[in-house]
Amino acid sequence: MHFSARKAHCSSCPYSTRILQMRRNAICWAQALRLLVQGKSMSLWNLGPCQWSHSKCIKILPFPIMKLQVLVMLMSWFGVLSWVQAEFFTSIGHMTDLIYAEKDLVQSLKEYILAEEAKLSKIKSWASKMEALTSKSSADPEGYLAHPVNAYKLVKRLNTDWPALGDLVLQDSAAGFVANLSVQRQFFPTDEDESGAARALMRLQDTYKLDPDTISRGELPGTKYQAMLSVDDCFGMGRSAYNEGDYYHTVLWMEQVLKQLDAGEEATITKSLVLDYLSYAVFQLGDLHRAVELTRRLLSLDPSHERAGGNLRYFERLLEEEREKSLFNQTEAGLATQENVYERPVDYLPERDVYESLCRGEGVKLTPQRQKKLFCRYHHGNRVPQLLIAPFKEEDEWDSPHIVRYYDVMSDEEIERIKEIAKPKLARATVRDPKTGVLTVASYRVSKSSWLEEDDDPVVARVNRRMQHITGLTVKTAELLQVANYGMGGQYEPHFDFSRRPFDSGLKTEGNRLATFLNYSDEQDAFKRLGTGNRVATFLNYMSDVEAGGATVFPDLGAAIWPKKGTAVFWYNLLRSGEGDYRTRHAACPVLVGCKWVSNKWFHERGQEFLRPCGTTEVD
């Protein structure tokens, strides 16, 4: 009885109660420190052992202020503990709480160390990976970037991954790196660049009929470097398409993401996020059945997904309305759900299928009868003295209209020099809006170009004279030498090099270049001053080989001409009557693998009157 009475007395002693409360509170603060080290927000009544009433809990402050307050108060509590420390050793029961407090502190310390080591490990791993990658890529920049997947990933890394690494490093003291990154970041690709790179891969995907899995594995013809798209890379492709309202490609790439996730590939994104995009994309494509199926799958992974729940109810209501309208529509939708195949949307280009088929080397109308009309010969330019001793090899590429290829037009040294001069001047190639006359960028022309004058370097003047000797036309009224470099998936969709009369009533006196770029500040005024008439002929120099893609195709003819370094192709854009030859509508196919460099010389009508006399009929 005496013992029980003493126990009751001790438990009710204000001093003992105060010590016990301080001990519990100290443990609470230790746990608070652990959460702070982990970077977690908290409310102190959710810290487990702490039994404080809500009215006594700390007001939640912004994290840096709260962290300072907690640390100051924690030091105060440790001060109190030091004052009662002598009392703890007198009771093992009292000291057991300290054991658990210390264990909690050790655990929080280990978690802090692990977090810091994990950060450092990630940074080290990234540095090693980038060192190996840059040593390989810098050894042959153009060859490395010739693979479109490498080009896309470079843009993605600099726009997304490097800034993300900067955010990671910023969590600790890394002022030097962050300052350097901040300076360099202003020169990094932008979101628009990343989106454009993604569109380029999709363009290659469509033109050359490549499925996402093939692109993801990097299995492209003529590639020198192995390049693969990770789950996160594929997700970036799908998200780019989604942001552009391109639900057809969104579906293709999000399905690829799911395929790689199902194969066990590690990723930062989740299946529920992918299904969120995919379900809405198929809904936009009109496949309600599959939208319902994917949304249900999403909810099975994340039952608390509010938007998915609302979407499912909406999709099911639409599906019910569809069933009520027509049994035929129901059957049709059912077939679409089973096949999961969606048609590529029709776009603005009427000859899209023909153009892309030619780019793949399909549908070329080079029949045996036509091929018999094509010959090879030595060309001396109507006995031009400069070519009598060293004529050029000339090969017929097409009979009507006559398209020829010349060999060994430019040496490797000349090509490299022209590229060297042109590179600092390269700017995004533009086209002239036929309605406004304003030069603007366009998705159907993806390249950079610059214009070289003869005064820029003797090699430019030498190449100009050579083209004059070969063609027999004067370069005095020709445009400057244009040098173009096609980027990732670079192309120029079907267009005419000559100006068409319906769009330009002043064609014969002013001339213009409706579908092509001229780097003057005021194109119309420049041509008005020149008074050189329409473009009579095109001389196209191939300044690089292209491993895959990049052909020059003529959809109306069914002709395809493949780039070969050092060669040039030549054709007349106008008939001898001065009328445009509409058969010369042509295109530069997207570069699948490789780096395509070309240079053009456009000859104009004026000054050619006696060099290429007019015909007697309109169709001459």
Side-chain angles (χ1 to χ4, degrees):
M1 293 296 294
H2 178 70
F3 179 80
S4 297
R6 183 173 178 80
K7 180 179 181 182
H9 171 75
C10 288
S11 62
S12 61
C13 171
Y15 179 78
S16 299
T17 302
R18 189 163 62 249
I19 294 299
L20 180 61
Q21 187 65 58
M22 286 192 295
R23 184 176 62 190
R24 288 175 177 171
N25 292 345
I27 294 173
C28 287
W29 284 112
Q31 291 175 331
L33 176 62
R34 176 170 59 84
L35 291 178
L36 285 171
V37 169
Q38 293 173 343
K40 298 179 181 177
S41 59
M42 62 180 185
S43 61
L44 293 178
W45 55 83
N46 291 327
L47 293 181
C50 179
Q51 301 298 319
W52 294 351
S53 66
H54 290 189
S55 61
K56 293 183 180 179
C57 285
I58 273 186
K59 180 180 178 182
I60 302 304
L61 300 171
F63 184 81
I65 300 174
M66 182 176 70
K67 183 173 181 179
L68 180 60
Q69 264 199 13
V70 169
L71 290 175
V72 170
M73 295 182 71
L74 184 59
M75 293 303 104
S76 301
W77 278 111
F78 281 150
V80 172
L81 281 177
S82 66
W83 176 70
V84 298
Q85 186 174 8
E87 299 297 326
F88 286 140
F89 79 89
T90 62
S91 172
I92 299 299
H94 291 174
M95 293 183 66
T96 55
D97 287 342
L98 297 180
I99 295 294
Y100 291 112
E102 187 177 41
K103 181 179 181 181
D104 191 73
L105 287 173
V106 171
Q107 182 61 30
S108 67
L109 181 62
K110 289 173 64 178
E111 289 172 356
Y112 172 76
I113 293 171
L114 287 174
E116 290 297 317
E117 287 179 343
K119 277 186 206 171
L120 189 57
S121 177
K122 288 179 183 178
I123 296 169
K124 285 182 177 179
S125 174
W126 178 260
S128 299
K129 179 181 175 183
M130 289 301 101
E131 183 180 23
L133 187 65
T134 53
S135 63
K136 179 170 65 175
S137 62
S138 61
D140 181 14
E142 284 195 358
Y144 180 81
L145 291 174
H147 197 306
V149 170
N150 280 336
Y152 167 73
K153 294 188 74 170
L154 174 63
V155 171
K156 179 178 179 292
R157 278 198 306 275
L158 291 177
N159 181 56
T160 302
D161 298 343
W162 276 103
L165 180 68
D167 293 338
L168 174 64
V169 174
L170 191 59
Q171 294 174 15
D172 285 324
S173 112
F177 170 76
V178 173
N180 186 36
L181 182 60
S182 298
V183 172
Q184 296 292 340
R185 192 169 179 176
Q186 61 184 315
F187 304 109
F188 282 0
T190 62
D191 290 340
E192 184 180 353
D193 291 310
E194 184 171 343
S195 176
R199 286 196 303 270
L201 274 184
M202 295 174 206
R203 186 183 310 122
L204 296 175
Q205 174 183 352
D206 294 337
T207 303
Y208 297 104
K209 290 189 175 181
L210 304 171
D211 59 82
D213 191 53
T214 299
I215 297 176
S216 177
R217 295 196 306 270
E219 296 178 351
L220 304 179
T223 54
K224 293 170 58 178
Y225 299 91
Q226 182 68 23
M228 300 178 69
L229 292 175
S230 67
V231 172
D232 293 323
D233 293 332
C234 293
F235 179 78
M237 291 286 294
R239 183 176 55 192
S240 291
Y242 180 88
N243 291 339
E244 296 279 337
D246 179 0
Y247 301 111
Y248 169 74
H249 287 105
T250 301
V251 170
L252 293 178
W253 283 100
M254 290 303 175
E255 287 176 341
Q256 179 63 26
V257 173
L258 289 179
K259 179 178 179 180
Q260 291 182 217
L261 283 173
D262 290 339
E265 187 173 327
E266 293 184 1
T268 58
I269 52 100
T270 62
K271 280 189 179 181
S272 58
L273 180 60
V274 179
L275 290 168
D276 193 12
Y277 279 91
L278 186 56
S279 60
Y280 186 75
V282 298
F283 163 69
Q284 288 291 333
L285 293 177
D287 192 346
L288 272 174
H289 282 84
R290 193 170 180 220
V292 169
E293 171 196 335
L294 292 169
T295 307
R296 286 173 177 166
R297 185 177 170 189
L298 166 58
L299 285 169
S300 69
L301 294 174
D302 185 4
S304 63
H305 199 294
E306 295 181 7
R307 185 172 61 256
N311 285 351
L312 181 60
R313 290 188 292 272
Y314 178 64
F315 295 159
E316 288 176 336
R317 186 170 71 251
L318 291 178
L319 202 56
E320 185 61 31
E321 291 174 1
E322 191 178 86
R323 288 195 185 99
E324 292 174 358
K325 285 181 181 179
S326 171
L327 180 62
F328 176 75
N329 289 341
Q330 174 190 358
T331 305
E332 224 176 30
L335 289 174
T337 304
Q338 291 171 11
E339 295 174 2
N340 296 338
V341 175
Y342 307 98
E343 292 292 329
R344 179 181 169 193
V346 177
D347 68 3
Y348 55 86
L349 192 63
E351 68 258 64
R352 170 72 63 190
D353 291 341
V354 174
Y355 158 55
E356 292 184 349
S357 294
L358 289 171
C359 289
R360 296 190 297 270
E362 304 168 3
V364 178
K365 299 177 182 178
L366 189 61
T367 61
Q369 293 76 12
R370 169 166 279 123
Q371 199 160 10
K372 290 178 180 178
K373 302 176 182 178
L374 307 181
F375 298 94
C376 297
R377 65 189 70 83
Y378 282 103
H379 174 76
H380 51 69
N382 294 323
R383 301 188 65 80
V384 175
Q386 291 85 349
L387 302 187
L388 285 175
I389 298 176
F392 283 93
K393 290 178 285 187
E394 181 184 76
E395 179 183 11
D396 294 331
E397 290 282 355
W398 208 256
D399 59 333
S400 181
H402 195 204
I403 304 173
V404 296
R405 185 194 295 261
Y406 296 103
Y407 286 82
D408 303 320
V409 175
M410 296 174 66
S411 67
D412 289 347
E413 292 74 16
E414 289 173 329
I415 288 173
E416 291 307 312
R417 180 57 183 157
I418 287 178
K419 286 165 61 176
E420 182 182 351
I421 303 167
K423 278 182 180 180
K425 301 181 179 183
L426 288 176
R428 173 71 186 268
T430 58
V431 296
R432 179 187 171 192
D433 189 309
K435 294 181 180 179
T436 65
V438 176
L439 292 174
T440 181
V441 297
S443 61
Y444 57 83
R445 187 176 194 187
V446 183
S447 65
K448 284 189 174 182
S449 60
S450 62
W451 297 80
L452 303 184
E453 302 185 46
E454 292 194 356
D455 293 340
D456 288 335
D457 193 275
V459 71
V460 178
R462 186 163 64 247
V463 169
N464 280 344
R465 286 195 302 272
R466 190 175 301 147
M467 289 185 287
Q468 176 173 285
H469 295 154
I470 292 173
T471 62
L473 301 174
T474 180
V475 295
K476 291 181 179 179
T477 57
E479 297 175 32
L480 300 178
L481 182 67
Q482 184 204 52
V483 180
N485 178 224
Y486 289 83
M488 179 187 173
Q491 63 163 358
Y492 193 176
E493 289 180 355
H495 61 281
F496 299 100
D497 275 354
F498 63 88
S499 177
R500 294 165 288 171
R501 286 190 177 187
F503 297 94
D504 190 352
S505 59
L507 173 68
K508 289 298 176 183
T509 58
E510 298 178 16
N512 67 29
R513 36 198 329 277
L514 177 66
T516 49
F517 167 78
L518 183 61
N519 195 17
Y520 291 119
S521 59
D522 189 339
E523 179 188 3
Q524 292 175 316
D525 286 346
F527 269 95
K528 189 172 185 178
R529 290 193 300 270
L530 289 173
T532 54
N534 207 348
R535 282 180 166 176
V536 67
T538 296
F539 196 99
L540 173 62
N541 295 293
Y542 292 118
M543 296 168 58
S544 66
D545 292 314
V546 178
E547 286 80 354
T552 304
V553 299
F554 295 75
D556 291 347
L557 302 178
I561 300 173
W562 303 94
K564 186 172 183 181
K565 185 177 181 181
T567 69
V569 292
F570 174 79
W571 67 88
Y572 283 102
N573 297 305
L574 304 181
L575 302 171
R576 286 186 177 272
S577 62
E579 296 296 324
D581 189 341
Y582 284 81
R583 299 172 299 172
T584 61
R585 182 171 169 86
H586 61 285
C589 294
V591 177
L592 177 58
V593 178
C595 183
K596 182 180 178 182
W597 284 87
V598 299
S599 59
N600 303 285
K601 175 64 73 171
W602 284 289
F603 295 90
H604 282 241
E605 290 178 289
R606 300 297 173 260
Q608 319 297 349
E609 292 83 355
F610 297 102
L611 300 175
R612 192 194 187 222
C614 293
T616 56
T617 68
E618 189 172 327
V619 295
D620 283 348

PDB file of all heavy atoms in Angstrom, residues 434-453:
ATOM      1  N   PRO A 434       2.561  34.929 -99.566  1.00  0.00           N
ATOM      2  CA  PRO A 434       2.030  35.403-100.848  1.00  0.00           C
ATOM      3  C   PRO A 434       0.980  36.495-100.705  1.00  0.00           C
ATOM      4  O   PRO A 434       0.741  37.248-101.635  1.00  0.00           O
ATOM      5  CB  PRO A 434       1.436  34.138-101.477  1.00  0.00           C
ATOM      6  CG  PRO A 434       1.191  33.221-100.342  1.00  0.00           C
ATOM      7  CD  PRO A 434       2.249  33.519 -99.333  1.00  0.00           C
ATOM      8  N   LYS A 435       0.349  36.594 -99.523  1.00  0.00           N
ATOM      9  CA  LYS A 435      -0.703  37.598 -99.332  1.00  0.00           C
ATOM     10  C   LYS A 435      -0.136  38.922 -98.840  1.00  0.00           C
ATOM     11  O   LYS A 435      -0.542  39.990 -99.269  1.00  0.00           O
ATOM     12  CB  LYS A 435      -1.746  37.078 -98.350  1.00  0.00           C
ATOM     13  CG  LYS A 435      -2.525  35.874 -98.868  1.00  0.00           C
ATOM     14  CD  LYS A 435      -3.566  35.415 -97.854  1.00  0.00           C
ATOM     15  CE  LYS A 435      -4.351  34.218 -98.368  1.00  0.00           C
ATOM     16  NZ  LYS A 435      -5.345  33.742 -97.376  1.00  0.00           N
ATOM     17  N   THR A 436       0.823  38.847 -97.908  1.00  0.00           N
ATOM     18  CA  THR A 436       1.351  40.069 -97.299  1.00  0.00           C
ATOM     19  C   THR A 436       2.698  40.481 -97.866  1.00  0.00           C
ATOM     20  O   THR A 436       3.104  41.636 -97.716  1.00  0.00           O
ATOM     21  CB  THR A 436       1.490  39.886 -95.777  1.00  0.00           C
ATOM     22  OG1 THR A 436       2.491  38.878 -95.524  1.00  0.00           O
ATOM     23  CG2 THR A 436       0.170  39.450 -95.155  1.00  0.00           C
ATOM     24  N   GLY A 437       3.413  39.546 -98.475  1.00  0.00           N
ATOM     25  CA  GLY A 437       4.746  39.845 -98.977  1.00  0.00           C
ATOM     26  C   GLY A 437       5.799  39.910 -97.895  1.00  0.00           C
ATOM     27  O   GLY A 437       6.949  40.232 -98.158  1.00  0.00           O
ATOM     28  N   VAL A 438       5.415  39.559 -96.665  1.00  0.00           N
ATOM     29  CA  VAL A 438       6.328  39.629 -95.533  1.00  0.00           C
ATOM     30  C   VAL A 438       7.112  38.328 -95.416  1.00  0.00           C
ATOM     31  O   VAL A 438       6.550  37.233 -95.560  1.00  0.00           O
ATOM     32  CB  VAL A 438       5.547  39.897 -94.224  1.00  0.00           C
ATOM     33  CG1 VAL A 438       6.485  39.861 -93.025  1.00  0.00           C
ATOM     34  CG2 VAL A 438       4.826  41.236 -94.308  1.00  0.00           C
ATOM     35  N   LEU A 439       8.415  38.435 -95.148  1.00  0.00           N
ATOM     36  CA  LEU A 439       9.240  37.258 -94.935  1.00  0.00           C
ATOM     37  C   LEU A 439       8.954  36.688 -93.551  1.00  0.00           C
ATOM     38  O   LEU A 439       8.946  37.407 -92.556  1.00  0.00           O
ATOM     39  CB  LEU A 439      10.725  37.616 -95.049  1.00  0.00           C
ATOM     40  CG  LEU A 439      11.208  38.013 -96.451  1.00  0.00           C
ATOM     41  CD1 LEU A 439      12.648  38.476 -96.389  1.00  0.00           C
ATOM     42  CD2 LEU A 439      11.041  36.870 -97.427  1.00  0.00           C
ATOM     43  N   THR A 440       8.722  35.388 -93.489  1.00  0.00           N
ATOM     44  CA  THR A 440       8.374  34.756 -92.221  1.00  0.00           C
ATOM     45  C   THR A 440       8.892  33.325 -92.200  1.00  0.00           C
ATOM     46  O   THR A 440       9.130  32.726 -93.263  1.00  0.00           O
ATOM     47  CB  THR A 440       6.848  34.764 -92.007  1.00  0.00           C
ATOM     48  OG1 THR A 440       6.544  34.164 -90.751  1.00  0.00           O
ATOM     49  CG2 THR A 440       6.134  33.985 -93.110  1.00  0.00           C
ATOM     50  N   VAL A 441       9.083  32.789 -91.005  1.00  0.00           N
ATOM     51  CA  VAL A 441       9.487  31.383 -90.904  1.00  0.00           C
ATOM     52  C   VAL A 441       8.264  30.514 -91.137  1.00  0.00           C
ATOM     53  O   VAL A 441       7.133  30.935 -90.905  1.00  0.00           O
ATOM     54  CB  VAL A 441      10.114  31.073 -89.526  1.00  0.00           C
ATOM     55  CG1 VAL A 441      11.372  31.868 -89.324  1.00  0.00           C
ATOM     56  CG2 VAL A 441       9.117  31.325 -88.408  1.00  0.00           C
ATOM     57  N   ALA A 442       8.503  29.301 -91.580  1.00  0.00           N
ATOM     58  CA  ALA A 442       7.393  28.393 -91.863  1.00  0.00           C
ATOM     59  C   ALA A 442       7.823  26.971 -91.536  1.00  0.00           C
ATOM     60  O   ALA A 442       8.984  26.603 -91.705  1.00  0.00           O
ATOM     61  CB  ALA A 442       6.969  28.500 -93.331  1.00  0.00           C
ATOM     62  N   SER A 443       6.863  26.195 -91.074  1.00  0.00           N
ATOM     63  CA  SER A 443       7.163  24.818 -90.690  1.00  0.00           C
ATOM     64  C   SER A 443       7.547  23.972 -91.889  1.00  0.00           C
ATOM     65  O   SER A 443       8.185  22.935 -91.736  1.00  0.00           O
ATOM     66  CB  SER A 443       5.952  24.192 -89.983  1.00  0.00           C
ATOM     67  OG  SER A 443       4.833  24.177 -90.850  1.00  0.00           O
ATOM     68  N   TYR A 444       7.138  24.404 -93.097  1.00  0.00           N
ATOM     69  CA  TYR A 444       7.451  23.601 -94.276  1.00  0.00           C
ATOM     70  C   TYR A 444       8.836  23.886 -94.833  1.00  0.00           C
ATOM     71  O   TYR A 444       9.264  23.276 -95.800  1.00  0.00           O
ATOM     72  CB  TYR A 444       6.388  23.785 -95.368  1.00  0.00           C
ATOM     73  CG  TYR A 444       6.165  25.203 -95.836  1.00  0.00           C
ATOM     74  CD1 TYR A 444       6.993  25.778 -96.788  1.00  0.00           C
ATOM     75  CD2 TYR A 444       5.112  25.961 -95.349  1.00  0.00           C
ATOM     76  CE1 TYR A 444       6.794  27.061 -97.242  1.00  0.00           C
ATOM     77  CE2 TYR A 444       4.885  27.254 -95.795  1.00  0.00           C
ATOM     78  CZ  TYR A 444       5.721  27.797 -96.740  1.00  0.00           C
ATOM     79  OH  TYR A 444       5.513  29.077 -97.182  1.00  0.00           O
ATOM     80  N   ARG A 445       9.543  24.855 -94.222  1.00  0.00           N
ATOM     81  CA  ARG A 445      10.950  25.061 -94.605  1.00  0.00           C
ATOM     82  C   ARG A 445      11.788  25.086 -93.339  1.00  0.00           C
ATOM     83  O   ARG A 445      11.748  26.046 -92.572  1.00  0.00           O
ATOM     84  CB  ARG A 445      11.146  26.359 -95.384  1.00  0.00           C
ATOM     85  CG  ARG A 445      12.572  26.448 -95.921  1.00  0.00           C
ATOM     86  CD  ARG A 445      12.819  27.669 -96.785  1.00  0.00           C
ATOM     87  NE  ARG A 445      14.081  27.517 -97.510  1.00  0.00           N
ATOM     88  CZ  ARG A 445      14.647  28.455 -98.242  1.00  0.00           C
ATOM     89  NH1 ARG A 445      14.062  29.628 -98.369  1.00  0.00           N
ATOM     90  NH2 ARG A 445      15.782  28.239 -98.861  1.00  0.00           N
ATOM     91  N   VAL A 446      12.539  24.012 -93.123  1.00  0.00           N
ATOM     92  CA  VAL A 446      13.324  23.880 -91.902  1.00  0.00           C
ATOM     93  C   VAL A 446      14.792  23.793 -92.286  1.00  0.00           C
ATOM     94  O   VAL A 446      15.316  22.725 -92.613  1.00  0.00           O
ATOM     95  CB  VAL A 446      12.903  22.637 -91.096  1.00  0.00           C
ATOM     96  CG1 VAL A 446      13.693  22.562 -89.796  1.00  0.00           C
ATOM     97  CG2 VAL A 446      11.404  22.669 -90.816  1.00  0.00           C
ATOM     98  N   SER A 447      15.448  24.937 -92.276  1.00  0.00           N
ATOM     99  CA  SER A 447      16.874  25.011 -92.586  1.00  0.00           C
ATOM    100  C   SER A 447      17.365  26.391 -92.175  1.00  0.00           C
ATOM    101  O   SER A 447      16.580  27.271 -91.826  1.00  0.00           O
ATOM    102  CB  SER A 447      17.133  24.777 -94.081  1.00  0.00           C
ATOM    103  OG  SER A 447      16.554  25.820 -94.848  1.00  0.00           O
ATOM    104  N   LYS A 448      18.673  26.558 -92.225  1.00  0.00           N
ATOM    105  CA  LYS A 448      19.285  27.869 -92.033  1.00  0.00           C
ATOM    106  C   LYS A 448      20.098  28.186 -93.270  1.00  0.00           C
ATOM    107  O   LYS A 448      20.712  27.289 -93.868  1.00  0.00           O
ATOM    108  CB  LYS A 448      20.174  27.883 -90.784  1.00  0.00           C
ATOM    109  CG  LYS A 448      19.384  27.949 -89.484  1.00  0.00           C
ATOM    110  CD  LYS A 448      20.306  28.175 -88.297  1.00  0.00           C
ATOM    111  CE  LYS A 448      19.518  28.383 -87.018  1.00  0.00           C
ATOM    112  NZ  LYS A 448      20.392  28.660 -85.853  1.00  0.00           N
ATOM    113  N   SER A 449      20.105  29.452 -93.632  1.00  0.00           N
ATOM    114  CA  SER A 449      20.814  29.817 -94.861  1.00  0.00           C
ATOM    115  C   SER A 449      21.553  31.133 -94.678  1.00  0.00           C
ATOM    116  O   SER A 449      21.281  31.906 -93.758  1.00  0.00           O
ATOM    117  CB  SER A 449      19.826  29.933 -96.027  1.00  0.00           C
ATOM    118  OG  SER A 449      18.859  30.925 -95.748  1.00  0.00           O
ATOM    119  N   SER A 450      22.505  31.357 -95.556  1.00  0.00           N
ATOM    120  CA  SER A 450      23.226  32.619 -95.594  1.00  0.00           C
ATOM    121  C   SER A 450      23.541  32.935 -97.056  1.00  0.00           C
ATOM    122  O   SER A 450      23.470  32.053 -97.920  1.00  0.00           O
ATOM    123  CB  SER A 450      24.515  32.553 -94.767  1.00  0.00           C
ATOM    124  OG  SER A 450      25.392  31.571 -95.297  1.00  0.00           O
ATOM    125  N   TRP A 451      23.876  34.173 -97.291  1.00  0.00           N
ATOM    126  CA  TRP A 451      24.123  34.620 -98.660  1.00  0.00           C
ATOM    127  C   TRP A 451      25.544  35.157 -98.773  1.00  0.00           C
ATOM    128  O   TRP A 451      25.954  35.985 -97.971  1.00  0.00           O
ATOM    129  CB  TRP A 451      23.117  35.700 -99.040  1.00  0.00           C
ATOM    130  CG  TRP A 451      21.715  35.170 -99.016  1.00  0.00           C
ATOM    131  CD1 TRP A 451      20.920  34.993 -97.924  1.00  0.00           C
ATOM    132  CD2 TRP A 451      20.981  34.710-100.131  1.00  0.00           C
ATOM    133  NE1 TRP A 451      19.724  34.456 -98.294  1.00  0.00           N
ATOM    134  CE2 TRP A 451      19.721  34.270 -99.653  1.00  0.00           C
ATOM    135  CE3 TRP A 451      21.237  34.633-101.504  1.00  0.00           C
ATOM    136  CZ2 TRP A 451      18.742  33.756-100.489  1.00  0.00           C
ATOM    137  CZ3 TRP A 451      20.256  34.126-102.343  1.00  0.00           C
ATOM    138  CH2 TRP A 451      19.018  33.695-101.839  1.00  0.00           C
ATOM    139  N   LEU A 452      26.267  34.689 -99.779  1.00  0.00           N
ATOM    140  CA  LEU A 452      27.676  35.039 -99.931  1.00  0.00           C
ATOM    141  C   LEU A 452      27.889  35.884-101.185  1.00  0.00           C
ATOM    142  O   LEU A 452      27.396  35.554-102.272  1.00  0.00           O
ATOM    143  CB  LEU A 452      28.536  33.781-100.006  1.00  0.00           C
ATOM    144  CG  LEU A 452      28.431  32.802 -98.829  1.00  0.00           C
ATOM    145  CD1 LEU A 452      29.419  31.664 -99.014  1.00  0.00           C
ATOM    146  CD2 LEU A 452      28.655  33.501 -97.497  1.00  0.00           C
ATOM    147  N   GLU A 453      28.630  36.950-101.009  1.00  0.00           N
ATOM    148  CA  GLU A 453      29.010  37.797-102.134  1.00  0.00           C
ATOM    149  C   GLU A 453      30.412  37.424-102.610  1.00  0.00           C
ATOM    150  O   GLU A 453      31.183  36.808-101.865  1.00  0.00           O
ATOM    151  CB  GLU A 453      28.968  39.265-101.718  1.00  0.00           C
ATOM    152  CG  GLU A 453      27.610  39.715-101.213  1.00  0.00           C
ATOM    153  CD  GLU A 453      27.589  41.197-100.922  1.00  0.00           C
ATOM    154  OE1 GLU A 453      28.087  41.977-101.776  1.00  0.00           O
ATOM    155  OE2 GLU A 453      27.088  41.579 -99.858  1.00  0.00           O
TER     156      GLU A 453
END
